[in-house]
Amino acid sequence: MPKFHFFKKLRFANVFILLLIVFASCALLICINFFTIKTLSANRAYINGESHYSKGQKDASRHLITYLYTKDPNQWKLYLEELKVPQGDGIARITLLKAGDNEVARKALLVGRNHEEDLDDLIWLFENFKEVPFLAKAIHEWEQGDKLIFQLFIIGQQINAKIKKDILTPDNREQFLKDISAISDKLTINERNFSNTLGEGTRKIKSLLIITNIFFTLVIVCSVCLYYSIMVKRLIVSKKEIEAKNENLTLVNHELDRFVYSASHDLRSPITSLKGLIEITQLEDDPNQIKRYLNLMHQSLAKQDRFINDIIDYSKNKRKEVVMEAVSLQELFDEAISQLMHIENANQITFTKELLVDKIQSDNLRLKIIISNLISNAIKYADSNKQEMQISIKTYFIDGFNKIEVADNGIGIRDEYKDNIFQMYFGTNKNKGSGLGLYIVKEAVENIKGNISVSSQSNIGSKFIVTIPYAYAS
């Protein structure tokens, strides 16, 4: 009997140790996953913030150059407003480096157009990982960028002072333009290095997470299988949950990598094109040729503007809650058409509207995204070879649903493309669009519990029908 009790106590002690190992392993795994996801989310927020920083800087430079040549006070105001974005991020960086007031840093980050829900992650990552090599390197690039932003601010003050005193000479204007261009070029390199550094850190964290998950999973599986049958069942459940989390995390990381890569490519492409055109224009003396180059520059900037708007729509559609309210389809169509008339061939298209339903109860933001993208696509893919380019817009109520129909006689969609047109970054012609428009439309439609269908024939035209659940119509 004493011997039996000894072995029983020994077995109990071993099981207790294994339980501790299992619970400790699970706790560590959950903590690692939590902090890894938090870190990846903060990295994503910094990359998103860099896009606002970059856009603010580039818009500020553009307004300053316009002010330099037009002396329009409104351009000066716009320049100061856009420059506040990178300046706000710079104040946040300095405050956090000095371990200052986080409330000051939060306000500064909001000025930098960072999303309010990302602020805690941004501050947490900075405070806890600023000495880690990949983030320290990114912060260094950020600091260099802030110095260049300050130089841009000084140049702006000098330009404004000369304009106010009416002593700006053509030579001054030429030198200021060169200085602004040089700063913009350096900032582009800093911004790209910042994003690349964070992207590299994200990939390393992902690899470390996978190795850590594998290690702890093996510890848990081996411990439970050896000593206790009941623990095996619990482990299987836990393992399935962990694998599901890992699969979701891998999918999120894959989409993030793809989005960042594609976004950086599509953002840089118009800039590269614009730089080349500027260099060519500087060597050209023929006014007609210069005018042609300026038109090409405008097209390049318009392409980038469309892509940035697509990203903004994508972000809004992902983040904002659905708000049901009375929406006027007539107003949304009129607003969308007026805002899209700058697109090539838009003023040559005949728009016909048959709105049997105007006011409906739905989400205004999503409907605006849907309508704007559908009309934009119809304009961009119009067939200029046809005698008359047409876009037909209809709204009606049938079988308990509100319907929005946008049809055109454009170039249509080839059969092999129809199954893929709603996928992210799929485009039959990336020169005309970012490949995000219809993807965003489909997500927006699904967010308001609707659906979208398309019928199209190559060289004949396309028709998109959006079906929205009925709540209220008048």
Side-chain angles (χ1 to χ4, degrees):
M1 286 292 291
K3 187 176 181 180
F4 173 76
H5 284 299
F6 172 77
F7 283 109
K8 186 175 181 181
K9 288 179 181 179
L10 182 62
R11 186 174 63 184
F12 176 80
N14 288 337
V15 170
F16 181 75
I17 291 171
L18 285 169
L19 283 173
L20 286 177
I21 292 173
V22 170
F23 283 123
S25 298
C26 287
L28 285 171
L29 191 60
I30 291 171
C31 288
I32 290 168
N33 273 281
F34 171 79
F35 284 108
T36 303
I37 292 171
K38 187 177 179 68
T39 303
L40 293 174
S41 176
N43 269 5
R44 185 267 314 153
Y46 269 109
I47 291 172
N48 186 54
E50 186 278 328
S51 68
H52 291 302
Y53 185 107
S54 177
K55 184 178 184 300
Q57 171 259 310
K58 287 175 173 56
D59 285 348
S61 298
R62 175 168 56 84
H63 290 307
L64 182 58
I65 291 171
T66 305
Y67 178 62
L68 180 63
Y69 281 90
T70 64
K71 302 180 181 180
D72 182 0
N74 288 329
Q75 292 298 320
W76 173 251
K77 290 179 182 178
L78 290 171
Y79 155 74
L80 293 176
E81 185 65 27
E82 292 299 327
L83 198 64
K84 286 180 183 177
V85 177
Q87 286 177 332
D89 288 333
I91 292 170
R93 177 184 60 78
I94 294 169
T95 303
L96 292 173
L97 278 175
K98 294 180 178 178
D101 188 354
N102 282 355
E103 193 58 33
V104 173
R106 290 175 67 89
K107 291 178 180 178
L109 288 170
L110 285 174
V111 173
R113 294 176 183 165
N114 295 280
H115 196 279
E116 187 174 3
E117 293 181 5
D118 290 333
L119 299 185
D120 289 335
D121 287 344
L122 290 168
I123 294 172
W124 173 83
L125 185 69
F126 195 105
E127 289 183 333
N128 293 282
F129 293 87
K130 60 187 175 185
E131 303 298 332
V132 175
F134 86 91
L135 189 57
K137 184 178 177 183
I139 292 172
H140 175 72
E141 294 292 341
W142 186 356
E143 180 183 5
Q144 297 306 309
D146 287 344
K147 290 179 181 177
L148 292 168
I149 291 296
F150 181 73
Q151 291 179 23
L152 185 63
F153 170 76
I154 295 299
I155 289 173
Q157 295 301 316
Q158 292 172 349
I159 291 172
N160 187 49
K162 284 186 178 293
I163 289 176
K164 293 291 186 184
K165 295 177 182 178
D166 199 23
I167 58 173
L168 182 68
T169 66
D171 288 341
N172 293 150
R173 188 181 292 117
E174 182 74 13
Q175 186 58 48
F176 281 135
L177 182 59
K178 288 179 180 178
D179 292 342
I180 294 169
S181 298
I183 290 172
S184 293
D185 289 344
K186 291 178 182 177
L187 276 166
T188 298
I189 295 172
N190 280 117
E191 291 154 1
R192 181 170 63 244
N193 290 342
F194 181 89
S195 294
N196 290 343
T197 301
L198 289 180
E200 182 182 349
T202 300
R203 288 187 288 274
K204 287 181 179 178
I205 291 170
K206 182 179 71 174
S207 300
L208 184 61
L209 173 64
I210 293 172
I211 294 171
T212 306
N213 272 284
I214 292 172
F215 173 78
F216 282 106
T217 301
L218 287 174
V219 170
I220 294 169
V221 171
C222 291
S223 300
V224 174
C225 288
L226 283 171
Y227 290 94
Y228 211 70
S229 60
I230 250 182
M231 295 295 292
V232 175
K233 295 179 182 178
R234 293 181 181 178
L235 179 60
I236 290 172
V237 173
S238 176
K239 187 182 176 188
K240 286 181 179 179
E241 291 177 353
I242 292 168
E243 287 176 348
K245 288 179 181 179
N246 289 338
E247 184 179 347
N248 289 335
L249 183 59
T250 302
L251 179 62
V252 168
N253 287 336
H254 174 72
E255 288 187 352
L256 177 63
D257 286 343
R258 183 182 175 195
F259 182 82
V260 170
Y261 173 79
S262 299
S264 63
H265 176 270
D266 287 339
L267 283 171
R268 288 189 61 223
S269 179
I271 294 173
T272 303
S273 174
L274 188 60
K275 287 173 65 179
L277 287 168
I278 290 172
E279 290 174 0
I280 295 172
T281 305
Q282 288 174 338
L283 302 174
E284 185 62 56
D285 295 325
D286 183 359
N288 292 329
Q289 191 67 16
I290 291 173
K291 187 175 181 181
R292 177 173 170 272
Y293 289 148
L294 288 173
N295 185 51
L296 291 173
M297 291 179 199
H298 181 269
Q299 292 176 16
S300 183
L301 289 172
K303 178 181 177 182
Q304 187 174 46
D305 184 57
R306 289 196 300 272
F307 180 71
I308 291 170
N309 285 334
D310 283 344
I311 292 177
I312 293 171
D313 285 345
Y314 173 80
S315 177
K316 287 179 180 178
N317 187 47
K318 282 285 189 184
R319 291 176 176 276
K320 294 202 173 181
E321 296 292 331
V322 173
V323 178
M324 300 300 289
E325 57 185 325
V327 181
S328 170
L329 296 177
Q330 171 80 45
E331 291 178 5
L332 290 182
F333 278 116
D334 290 343
E335 180 183 351
I337 292 171
S338 66
Q339 290 178 350
L340 296 169
M341 290 307 292
H342 67 279
I343 299 177
E344 184 180 3
N345 294 327
N347 57 357
Q348 300 175 32
I349 296 174
T350 301
F351 290 87
T352 59
K353 289 186 285 188
E354 185 182 337
L355 305 182
L356 301 182
V357 173
D358 178 17
K359 294 215 169 145
I360 66 171
Q361 197 76 10
S362 190
D363 183 272
N364 184 72
L365 171 64
R366 269 76 185 188
L367 283 177
K368 184 180 292 187
I369 291 172
I370 293 165
I371 289 171
S372 178
N373 275 283
L374 289 180
I375 295 177
S376 173
N377 266 17
I379 296 173
K380 285 186 287 188
Y381 294 99
D383 190 347
S384 58
N385 293 322
K386 290 181 180 171
Q387 186 173 1
E388 184 179 9
M389 294 180 285
Q390 299 177 340
I391 294 177
S392 169
I393 299 166
K394 295 181 181 179
T395 64
Y396 49 92
F397 179 78
I398 187 171
D399 297 331
F401 293 92
N402 292 308
K403 302 272 189 175
I404 297 175
E405 181 180 305
V406 178
D408 62 69
N409 66 339
I411 62 175
I413 304 169
R414 290 163 61 178
D415 291 340
E416 61 264 33
Y417 295 148
K418 289 180 183 177
D419 293 337
N420 301 315
I421 60 174
F422 293 108
Q423 293 180 8
M424 180 184 280
Y425 288 116
F426 179 84
T428 58
N429 186 344
K430 290 303 287 290
N431 289 324
K432 289 182 177 291
S434 64
L436 282 173
L438 289 178
Y439 172 81
I440 296 171
V441 167
K442 190 171 188 298
E443 285 213 333
V445 170
E446 290 173 351
N447 279 343
I448 56 175
K449 310 301 181 187
N451 61 70
I452 184 170
S453 62
V454 58
S455 59
S456 181
Q457 288 181 275
S458 184
N459 298 320
I460 301 297
S462 304
K463 179 193 291 185
F464 288 85
I465 299 178
V466 177
T467 302
I468 303 171
Y470 170 75
Y472 167 83
S474 65

